Amino acid sequence: AARDQKWLGKLSTKARNLRSALETAPRRDLSEHEAALSEEEEELLKEEAEEEIIMLKWATVIGIAALGATFILGFLAESIHLHWLPEAAIGVLVGMFASGLAKMAHSDGLLEKEKFDFEFFMIWLLPPIIFEAGFNMNVQAFIANLCPTAFFAFIGTFASTFVVGGLVWWFGQMGLCYPLGMLAALTFGSLISATDPVTVLAVFQALGVKIDLFSMVFGESVLNDAVAIVLSRTLLSFNNPENPVDAEHILGAGKLFLIIFIGSLLIGAVGGILSSLTFKLLDLRHHDEMLYMEAALSFVFPWCAYFVAEASELSGIVSIMSCGMVMATYTRPNFSPRAVRLTARAYKVVALIAETFVFVYLG
């Protein structure tokens, strides 16, 4: 009886172990399957990330090559006096050609990387263009013609915004173009009112027009960009159900415009004054061996002003333009003669690359 009881105990233990094994086997298989699946998913995600990096590198190569092609074709067009085709138009055409090749190759990843990125445009392309315009501006001529320049930049931009926006809205209601709402049409009008007088100024330089006309057109183009950007941001503040379009909110929008513009101007001016004091105290102009450090240090203040304004929800474009004009007036006299030439040319080169790439990017 004892032997039988011992045998029955072993049998029940084996039965429990077998039952436990049968119960856990599917779970174990399932967990192993899930582990295998997660490994496959991780491998797939890793491959997708690597492919995305490769596409980004190829998009960068194509962008740089398109930039070089624009410079070469622009030079050839100018050498054969093809004045009706400016370099800006060549850049757009080259950009369209590059994206067309990617589309013909059915490379969706490459097309995705070549899409226009607003943040990239606002952070990397527009600031050097605006700063160089302010830094290399003839400030004395600009101040002498400040009243007509400001009239064209402010009143002209406002008038252009409402005329263009009103026409776009009206044509949309008539079915002649895509029907936009009034707010969207005005925002479009504000952005399209930002003119680019690069070709006109190049012709002015070739003809040797009077400095007053040149400074008015050039100064208006610089202020016009800043006014258009601030105005578009102000209009977009109405894109909120809590902000109906009435007299109170229109006055609030006008107040917001003034706060953004004046606050941004002050931040830029403070950055320019700090740069002037820094270079005056360091007295780097009497140290020829510090030429490149002198030029590199000048980069710090305008970009700090730009990002301080952006972080304060103001306009970095207005700030960096203001900083450039103040630095041209007060900081440049504290540069050594070689640093004056180096900074003017270096910022001109950077602005030319950024400006040309803007048109390629648009294409």
Side-chain angles (χ1 to χ4, degrees):
R3 191 166 53 251
D4 291 343
Q5 189 175 2
K6 186 178 180 180
W7 181 81
L8 287 172
K10 289 181 180 180
L11 186 61
S12 62
T13 301
K14 288 182 179 181
R16 284 197 302 270
N17 292 339
L18 181 60
R19 191 185 307 114
S20 177
L22 289 174
E23 290 176 352
T24 57
R27 297 177 184 174
R28 190 184 304 115
D29 293 341
L30 183 60
S31 62
E32 289 176 357
H33 175 71
E34 289 177 349
L37 186 61
S38 62
E39 289 178 2
E40 290 177 1
E41 289 177 348
E42 288 179 3
E43 189 67 26
L44 183 61
L45 290 173
K46 187 177 179 181
E47 290 177 1
E48 289 178 354
E50 290 176 353
E51 185 178 354
E52 188 174 348
I53 292 172
I54 292 172
M55 287 296 105
L56 178 61
K57 291 178 179 178
W58 276 115
T60 305
V61 170
I62 291 173
I64 295 172
L67 187 65
T70 302
F71 286 134
I72 294 170
L73 293 174
F75 169 75
L76 294 176
E78 186 178 351
S79 63
I80 62 175
H81 306 291
L82 204 64
H83 299 303
W84 57 269
L85 188 63
E87 191 174 274
I90 293 174
V92 174
L93 293 174
V94 170
M96 292 172 64
F97 178 74
S99 61
L101 288 179
K103 196 167 186 178
M104 289 172 60
H106 303 288
S107 180
D108 295 335
L110 191 58
L111 285 171
E112 183 67 27
K113 294 301 176 185
E114 288 182 347
K115 280 185 178 179
F116 189 84
D117 188 337
F118 182 75
E119 293 297 324
F120 176 75
F121 172 74
M122 291 297 294
I123 293 176
W124 300 106
L125 296 181
L126 196 55
I129 297 172
I130 300 296
F131 173 71
E132 187 274 333
F135 186 71
N136 287 332
M137 179 188 293
N138 187 330
V139 180
Q140 287 75 19
F142 172 78
I143 293 175
N145 297 279
L146 183 60
C147 289
T149 302
F151 178 83
F152 289 128
F154 286 90
I155 307 301
T157 303
F158 272 89
S160 175
T161 296
F162 285 95
V163 170
V164 173
L167 288 174
V168 169
W169 177 82
W170 185 47
F171 287 154
Q173 299 303 309
M174 295 175 62
L176 298 176
C177 66
Y178 185 83
L180 293 175
M182 180 57 76
L183 179 60
L186 289 175
T187 304
F188 172 79
S190 68
L191 292 175
I192 209 69
S193 297
T195 57
D196 177 34
V198 174
T199 306
V200 176
L201 293 177
V203 174
F204 280 5
Q205 285 180 331
L207 296 176
V209 299
K210 291 184 178 180
I211 188 65
D212 291 337
L213 177 59
F214 185 90
S215 64
M216 275 192 289
V217 174
F218 184 69
E220 190 276 337
S221 70
V222 175
L223 288 176
N224 167 275
D225 288 341
V227 172
I229 291 170
V230 175
L231 181 58
S232 65
R233 289 179 60 178
T234 305
L235 287 169
L236 286 174
S237 67
F238 286 106
N239 191 25
N240 189 338
E242 298 179 358
N243 292 340
V245 182
D246 53 27
E248 181 183 354
H249 286 91
I250 290 174
L251 289 174
K255 182 180 178 182
L256 176 64
F257 177 87
L258 291 175
I259 289 173
I260 291 175
F261 203 87
I262 295 173
S264 302
L265 281 175
L266 290 175
I267 290 175
V270 169
I273 292 170
L274 286 176
S275 72
S276 175
L277 292 173
T278 301
F279 279 95
K280 188 173 184 178
L281 292 173
L282 292 176
D283 198 25
L284 293 174
R285 58 184 172 177
H286 294 126
H287 298 272
D288 292 339
E289 72 279 4
M290 305 301 289
L291 171 66
Y292 297 108
M293 196 275 279
E294 189 177 1
L297 182 59
S298 68
F299 168 86
V300 172
F301 299 94
W303 266 260
C304 278
Y306 175 84
F307 285 108
V308 166
E310 287 292 318
S312 303
E313 297 185 348
L314 299 175
S315 174
I317 296 303
V318 176
S319 287
I320 202 168
M321 178 200 69
S322 171
C323 186
M325 294 175 66
V326 172
M327 287 180 66
T329 306
Y330 298 107
T331 305
R332 187 177 285 160
N334 295 310
F335 286 164
S336 64
R338 293 171 65 197
V340 170
R341 294 190 296 270
L342 176 61
T343 52
R345 293 170 182 174
Y347 288 126
K348 183 67 177 178
V349 169
V350 174
L352 178 61
I353 292 172
E355 191 170 72
T356 305
F357 191 74
V358 165
F359 295 111
V360 174
Y361 206 25
L362 287 171

